[in-house]
Amino acid sequence: MSEISRKLLLMQIDGLNNEIKARGKNLTDWTSLFNRLSIFKNKKWEIENIDLPYLAVVTFSSSDEASSVFNTFVRKSIPVSTWPDLAPEVLSQPEKYKSAISLRNRRIFFPVHSSVDVQSIKLNSI
């Protein structure tokens, strides 16, 4: 690491700690909201809980459940995404890449960065 990079990083330490706290709170808020939503009832799902989340990762037991929930959030303009975009070579050989395709189809992601205010996202109508 160069000296200037080290100095720039040290100048941002307080901001990094604030970002860590905000991401943890947003992950907790997403989990709390999901526990109250009717579209999550009677579905087997789990949210990954890690110390410094990049995204809230929700894994469903089936791709149909994940797709249904994903489409509901998209229709309501609530930030949600899928990942990764699988290469055509993977998609053209589903038996060879069954595990990767299954994970891709059963997981959806929600932002947790500090500019997201999870509490202000309108989820009541879901």
Side-chain angles (χ1 to χ4, degrees):
M1 177 183 288
S2 71
E3 186 62 25
I4 192 162
S5 296
R6 188 178 71 76
K7 287 180 181 180
L8 288 171
L9 180 61
L10 289 174
M11 289 171 40
Q12 297 300 317
I13 290 296
D14 289 338
L16 292 175
N17 288 331
N18 292 337
E19 181 69 19
I20 290 167
K21 289 176 188 172
R23 287 175 182 227
K25 180 183 180 319
N26 284 340
L27 180 64
T28 300
D29 288 349
W30 277 122
T31 303
S32 175
L33 288 168
F34 296 158
N35 282 324
R36 295 192 311 257
L37 292 176
S38 62
I39 62 169
F40 280 86
K41 300 279 192 248
N42 302 318
K43 290 182 174 61
K44 187 176 178 220
W45 62 277
E46 64 179 303
I47 192 164
E48 292 181 19
N49 191 2
I50 56 176
D51 292 332
L52 180 56
Y54 177 69
L55 293 165
V57 181
V58 182
T59 304
F60 292 88
S61 59
S62 77
S63 59
D64 289 340
E65 289 178 348
S67 179
S68 172
V69 172
F70 177 83
N71 290 331
T72 300
F73 279 92
V74 167
R75 279 192 306 275
K76 300 291 184 177
S77 299
I78 295 169
V80 61
S81 61
T82 59
W83 183 84
D85 293 333
L86 297 175
E89 297 81 10
V90 172
L91 296 173
S92 69
Q93 299 179 54
E95 286 305 314
K96 184 175 181 180
Y97 298 103
K98 190 175 188 176
S99 180
I101 293 170
S102 175
L103 278 174
R104 161 54 173 92
N105 291 337
R106 292 184 304 111
R107 297 186 332 186
I108 59 176
F109 301 85
F110 298 86
V112 295
H113 51 80
S114 60
S115 63
V116 173
D117 180 5
V118 175
Q119 294 297 333
S120 71
I121 295 173
K122 304 297 183 217
L123 296 172
N124 299 333
S125 61
I126 295 179

